[in-house]
Amino acid sequence: MATQRSPSTSETFWAAVAAAVEKIPVIGPAIRVGLLTDRKRTLRVLAVAAFVLVIYPICLPLIAAILINRGVLFSLHEPYAATIRTAIRVKEATDTELDNSGLYKRLDYYQVIDIKSNGEDAQQLIYPVEAWQRVTFQVQEVHLSSSNGACELPMSLQAKGTDLVELGLGDQSIQFIKISNESNTDEHLLTASVWKQIIDSGAEQGKLRVSFKPVPELKTIATACHRGDLELTVKVTVKVFKDLVPHAAGPSAAQLS
Amino acid sequence: MTRRALLWLAACCLSGLCIAEEIDIDRSAKIPVSGGTVAATIFKMDATRVRVAVWPGFRVAALAGIMSKAISVQEAVNKLVLLKISANEILLVNGGFSTSEPDHPSGLLVSGGKVLSIPSYAKVLGNPASSCPVLQTERYRLSGLLCVRRDGTLTVGAFDENTWNACYEALQVEPVLVGPKGSVAVCPSGEGEDKYYRTAVCTSKEVGPNMQLKVVVTNDPISLFELATWMTKRVSAGGLGCEDAINFSGDTSTGAAYQPPPITGSLLHRPISDSFGAGTYPLASFLVIEGRK
């Protein structure tokens, strides 16, 4: 009796399910027919469809996130994370330093350059800047120290206002400003004449090379000391604005446009 | 019998074994602040009876035998650095600030007449609209200076770009806590209200004919304004009676280590050095205070 009643219960159940799915728009009637005629195949198709359309899309990013966090996918996410961190820093900086002045409306981007040098080697950075774009540099901090008692810093580098670094611009490293040990809050604007020099020197389009070169006297002292005994730290903020510096249109402008 | 005892005493003193403590330590000082007290250790000494020197972190690290050029107070204690500096009474205090690299000091550091870090001439613009007088005028970012001249004369106070080069030992720090004539030199809001562990150094002539040097190492966080306010109060009013005071590096940098003088008649049973404050952050500079023999 029990073996005869069981299939009939099952049939009743699947008939109820078929009646319920029939109400699903578009695909409901087809599923109903499938459940009543070839149930196994229909359930298999439904399972595959549920996996492809629901489970797989949810699991894929979860698995990827777990693998990235565990370092299995190397550090592919780090450039992205660094970009996000930089973006947050830029936002904070613009919020705190430019909000009151109202300049942030024209600001393209803002960056803090933290240069560490052994006093011998020049360093170069490249910024995405279009020709004639308004750019300002502001020296925030300058530190020079020795980590060797035998490598004393001479009086000539200690006096207030002594130049320590030359900030050059463009592919030919045209001297823009000299950074002294007396950092101040003055902003240095790339004027039209400086831009003209950079463009005339054959600078690459859309890129502005910024170089930091220790002055000859510092280089001499650093060379005399053991390499790494001197540390020069220069913190400079760069503001790149969306507008251009006023300039007369001429051959220089045409060269890059 | 008395003569024999005196002879023993003279022999001990001549051999360097009998040295009186020059540094007085108050290990359970309480700084009154709003809503309670802050625990601190205060080291007091006659400035004419101690030798004050500024040591770069790499020099302390070399004595400790570690590869790094910066070392924390705690690590210096663990590596028995104090005993390696001197067998006599000695106080090692965390120094000033560093750049983003802990082994490179920020601002002036002169050690034994050698300039190892140039002065920071960076200034902060004044805000005439500020309600706090200190913030109204332009000032150096690293506004304080500890200076010891070649003759041992010690001064604590504001950094002066025209006079620092007379210092044989010097450390530029920030900010000045107590200004000229014993006035509070920090504001109650902004930088002055942040609470951290603190190290401060002050000079005072309130007690005795000679200048007193006092070093405060807090065991609880305290704001600069609360610390400065307490330091300016007269000793009789429960303060420190400071006429000039400057703030050293704080938070986890805050730390000091003390090695007492050898016990009379025995070098073998000398007490081990004692440490105070957190002192876990590697430092670019230290203040080394030795009792004069």
Side-chain angles (χ1 to χ4, degrees):
Chain A
M1 284 291 279
T3 50
Q4 283 174 344
R5 210 180 298 133
S6 180
S8 92
T9 308
S10 171
E11 289 301 331
T12 311
F13 169 73
W14 284 113
V17 171
V21 298
E22 191 183 16
K23 290 169 187 169
I24 299 172
V26 186
I27 56 169
I31 297 172
R32 177 182 171 273
V33 173
L35 287 174
L36 295 176
T37 54
D38 190 348
R39 194 186 308 140
K40 274 188 181 174
R41 192 176 168 205
T42 306
L43 286 175
R44 221 177 286 141
V45 169
L46 285 175
V48 170
F51 179 78
V52 171
L53 297 174
V54 182
I55 299 167
Y56 184 71
I58 292 172
C59 287
L60 186 67
L62 282 175
I63 293 165
I66 290 164
L67 292 176
I68 287 170
N69 279 338
R70 290 190 175 180
V72 178
L73 288 183
F74 307 104
S75 53
L76 293 176
H77 65 297
E78 286 195 348
Y80 174 70
T83 307
I84 295 291
R85 277 197 295 271
T86 306
I88 290 167
R89 278 205 297 271
V90 168
K91 186 179 182 308
E92 283 173 352
T94 50
D95 284 348
T96 54
E97 297 209 3
L98 297 173
D99 199 31
N100 290 336
S101 66
L103 288 172
Y104 69 97
K105 287 175 185 167
R106 293 184 290 116
L107 189 71
D108 192 354
Y109 62 89
Y110 174 103
Q111 193 161 17
V112 179
I113 307 173
D114 205 354
I115 293 287
K116 291 191 192 306
S117 164
N118 56 15
E120 284 185 84
D121 306 327
Q123 295 192 30
Q124 198 174 66
L125 300 167
I126 298 172
Y127 285 89
V129 177
E130 293 302 325
W132 308 108
Q133 209 168 348
R134 185 185 295 276
V135 181
T136 63
F137 292 87
Q138 192 175 25
V139 181
Q140 299 284 339
E141 282 179 35
V142 182
H143 294 291
L144 176 64
S145 62
S146 164
S147 57
N148 186 340
C151 181
E152 189 183 354
L153 301 173
M155 184 60 81
S156 55
L157 292 178
Q158 302 161 16
K160 185 181 176 184
T162 305
D163 292 327
L164 297 174
V165 183
E166 291 169 1
L167 193 156
L169 298 173
D171 294 9
Q172 302 299 316
S173 195
I174 297 156
Q175 189 183 304
F176 179 51
I177 52 170
K178 284 190 173 181
I179 299 174
S180 77
N181 58 12
E182 180 198 7
S183 59
N184 54 42
T185 48
D186 293 344
E187 284 199 332
H188 301 274
L189 172 72
L190 255 82
T191 59
S193 62
V194 177
W195 261 122
K196 188 172 183 307
Q197 286 181 62
I198 295 169
I199 294 165
D200 288 347
S201 68
E204 197 178 343
Q205 188 177 349
K207 288 180 181 174
L208 177 66
R209 288 180 192 275
V210 181
S211 62
F212 294 85
K213 192 173 149 193
V215 295
E217 187 174 2
L218 175 58
K219 204 170 172 178
T220 307
I221 291 155
T223 309
C225 295
H226 284 113
R227 198 173 176 83
D229 282 349
L230 282 193
E231 191 200 63
L232 174 71
T233 307
V234 181
K235 191 184 272 186
V236 178
T237 55
V238 184
K239 290 174 194 163
V240 179
F241 295 87
K242 289 186 187 298
D243 58 326
L244 307 180
V245 290
H247 63 284
S252 299
Q255 194 179 327
L256 286 183
S257 57
Chain B
M1 191 68 184
T2 311
R3 181 178 283 180
R4 182 172 288 183
L6 283 171
L7 280 172
W8 263 109
L9 197 63
C12 286
C13 289
L14 284 172
S15 61
L17 300 178
C18 171
I19 300 167
E21 288 186 13
E22 298 291 357
I23 302 170
D24 177 38
I25 308 176
D26 181 354
R27 294 167 189 262
S28 53
K30 299 282 181 197
I31 303 172
V33 294
S34 56
T37 56
V38 165
T41 306
I42 306 170
F43 304 90
K44 300 173 194 170
M45 62 215 85
D46 183 332
T48 61
R49 297 184 64 83
V50 291
R51 241 195 321 268
V52 180
V54 175
W55 278 40
F58 65 79
R59 195 170 162 196
V60 179
L63 279 182
I66 63 170
M67 291 296 287
S68 169
K69 289 183 174 179
I71 182 171
S72 69
V73 170
Q74 285 299 336
E75 196 173 4
V77 171
N78 294 340
K79 302 278 184 184
L80 305 174
V81 165
L82 277 78
L83 195 56
K84 291 172 186 169
I85 295 174
S86 169
N88 296 320
E89 183 180 32
I90 192 164
L91 176 65
L92 185 76
V93 183
N94 74 277
F97 300 86
S98 56
T99 64
S100 52
E101 302 291 327
D103 55 344
H104 286 275
S106 178
L108 180 67
L109 191 155
V110 185
S111 181
K114 288 182 177 178
V115 177
L116 297 175
S117 177
I118 64 168
S120 168
Y121 296 105
K123 284 187 171 176
V124 181
L125 289 175
N127 177 13
S130 172
S131 58
C132 181
V134 178
L135 302 179
Q136 288 170 0
T137 52
E138 191 180 56
R139 62 208 176 276
Y140 289 106
R141 191 173 292 158
L142 295 179
S143 57
L145 183 73
L146 178 138
C147 171
V148 184
R149 290 177 180 252
R150 194 161 193 127
D151 64 2
T153 314
L154 179 132
T155 53
V156 161
F159 171 74
D160 185 336
E161 65 185 50
N162 299 312
T163 58
W164 70 262
N165 49 16
C167 304
Y168 189 71
E169 308 278 347
L171 192 60
Q172 192 180 5
V173 293
E174 59 111 9
V176 173
L177 293 173
V178 180
K181 297 175 187 172
S183 58
V184 174
V186 285
C187 302
S189 59
E191 184 192 40
E193 66 183 334
D194 298 332
K195 294 192 175 185
Y196 292 105
Y197 298 100
R198 304 286 185 185
T199 303
V201 174
C202 99
T203 51
S204 159
K205 275 189 175 172
E206 203 184 50
V207 183
N210 295 330
M211 181 185 279
Q212 292 284 309
L213 173 64
K214 298 171 184 177
V215 178
V216 180
V217 174
T218 72
N219 301 321
D220 295 316
I222 185 172
S223 75
L224 290 175
F225 182 73
E226 288 170 326
L227 182 62
T229 305
W230 169 73
M231 291 177 99
T232 55
K233 277 187 187 171
R234 295 188 68 80
V235 174
S236 55
L240 210 57
C242 298
E243 281 143 26
D244 292 286
I246 52 175
N247 176 58
F248 277 28
S249 186
D251 201 21
T252 51
S253 297
T254 289
Y258 175 75
Q259 174 181 275
I263 294 170
T264 305
S266 171
L267 274 175
L268 297 173
H269 297 96
R270 60 176 303 112
I272 55 166
S273 53
D274 207 352
S275 63
F276 308 85
T280 54
Y281 191 78
L283 302 166
S285 59
F286 290 87
L287 203 60
V288 177
I289 303 172
E290 286 181 78
R292 286 185 190 272
K293 286 178 187 172

